[in-house]
Amino acid sequence: MGLEEQWDRIRDVVSRGKRSTGHFAIASVDSAGAPHVTPVGTVYLRDDCTGFYFDQYTRVLADNLDADPRVCLMAVDSGRMFWMRALVTGRFPAGPGVRLYGTAGPRRPAEPAELEQVRRSVRPALLSRGGRLLWGDFTHVRDLTFTDFRPVRYPVMMSHLWQGVP
């Protein structure tokens, strides 16, 4: 099964990962070919195997993407109850994580709907001085287009999940 057929399941894993950790890992490649991983909390997925993230505080990631747009986004559900349930039952109730492979577009001004989406997700934090300093001035995004995925696997506890996915 391909990315499109699994997209709803992938979005569920990504959503749970964001709730449990507050961020994602985005991997890029620098000019020497070395990997670089950046934590980014403002990634949003759309319905069509694409997404975007707010390109703020990510200078090295931005420089890498300007030279080579390939990315890998990883989301992992690290919720205590999710893992406790899996450990007690010996079986994951859902996929524990996913890696999404694709490319990032050029930096562009955020659209009003994108700005509203990030404001909704950080609204409680904006009541604090630190929240306003960190998340009060987002202006630019990069679009993400995903072409492939790989689940995070623990085969002995998830043989019933991701059937038909290599």
Side-chain angles (χ1 to χ4, degrees), residues 1-3 6 99 148-153 162-166:
M1 292 186 134
L3 179 71
Q6 296 291 328
R99 293 176 200 90
D148 200 6
F149 79 101
R150 291 205 176 72
V152 171
R153 293 190 184 270
W162 301 106
Q163 312 243 320
V165 174

Side-chain angles (χ1 to χ4, degrees), residues 38-49:
T38 304
V40 177
T42 56
V43 175
Y44 301 91
L45 298 184
R46 300 182 185 107
D47 293 335
D48 61 355
C49 300

